[in-house]
Amino acid sequence: MGTLIPGKKGMGLAPDHPKGLGGWLVLIQIGLYVTFIRSFILVYDFFTNTLGSEGWYALTSPASADYHASWKLVLIFEVSANIILLLASVYLLTLLYNKRAVFPRWLIFYYIIGLLLQIVIMVLVAGIPQSSELAASGNLLSNIARGLVNGLIWTAYILRSKRVRNTFVN
């Protein structure tokens, strides 16, 4: 039913619905932290190990047998996508812990952008003849499928959850 609480105009009734960052929202928090850590590692690895390495020159140097003009674009787009996901996860965690009312909308937008970035990466990789089998492999397709299922499940939860409606009100 609810709990009686004192207010300026007398006693009011506060619903006993769940609120706060518990319940299924814990899994969303964990997912955002995992994305942050994963993206940080990938960006760090790109700048410390990939950029300027033999592999970079093998893919981006016209004198190399593995060269294709699109490799540089693909690698830079992928690191840019990871930087976007890293910054977005920090922003979303800030909104989450401040219980901002815009958090549910930004989270849904985050899932859409993440899925679109995966699709663009797959299309870019598929455009390189030496890597067309990589694009058709299960790894890139499973990333897209995982992003789609993850986005659909959590979007449905965000839109229907009483806890979300009661928590993100600021």
Side-chain angles (χ1 to χ4, degrees):
M1 177 92 144
T3 306
L4 287 173
I5 56 170
K8 291 182 180 179
K9 297 182 179 181
M11 297 299 279
L13 187 64
D16 286 336
H17 297 295
K19 68 189 258 188
L21 298 178
W24 291 103
L25 284 175
V26 171
L27 294 178
I28 291 176
Q29 293 174 57
I30 292 169
L32 289 171
Y33 278 113
V34 167
T35 299
F36 172 78
I37 292 167
R38 183 182 159 276
S39 295
F40 180 82
I41 290 170
L42 289 171
V43 169
Y44 179 80
D45 183 57
F46 177 81
F47 284 110
T48 58
N49 298 329
T50 304
L51 192 63
S53 70
E54 291 177 21
W56 173 264
Y57 289 117
L59 296 174
T60 61
S61 175
S64 172
D66 294 325
Y67 171 77
H68 191 276
S70 298
W71 270 122
K72 189 180 280 189
L73 172 69
V74 169
L75 294 172
I76 291 174
F77 183 82
E78 186 172 7
V79 76
S80 300
N82 282 305
I83 290 171
I84 289 169
L85 291 175
L86 178 112
L87 295 174
S89 63
V90 169
Y91 180 65
L92 284 168
L93 284 166
T94 303
L95 291 177
L96 176 86
Y97 290 125
N98 289 321
K99 299 176 183 172
R100 302 293 303 195
V102 296
F103 173 76
R105 285 176 279 174
W106 276 105
L107 185 66
I108 293 168
F109 182 67
Y110 168 80
Y111 289 130
I112 293 169
I113 292 300
L115 181 62
L116 291 176
L117 289 173
Q118 287 292 330
I119 292 170
V120 169
I121 288 171
M122 189 180 92
V123 168
L124 289 174
V125 169
I128 300 173
Q130 299 99 322
S131 66
S132 58
E133 68 277 353
L134 176 65
S137 76
N139 191 22
L140 290 176
L141 289 174
S142 69
N143 285 346
I144 291 172
R146 189 179 319 112
L148 180 63
V149 170
N150 192 25
L152 289 174
I153 289 170
W154 291 117
T155 297
Y157 170 74
I158 289 293
L159 294 174
R160 300 195 54 143
S161 170
K162 290 179 183 177
R163 179 180 297 276
V164 170
R165 276 193 302 274
N166 292 335
T167 301
F168 300 104
V169 294
N170 296 332

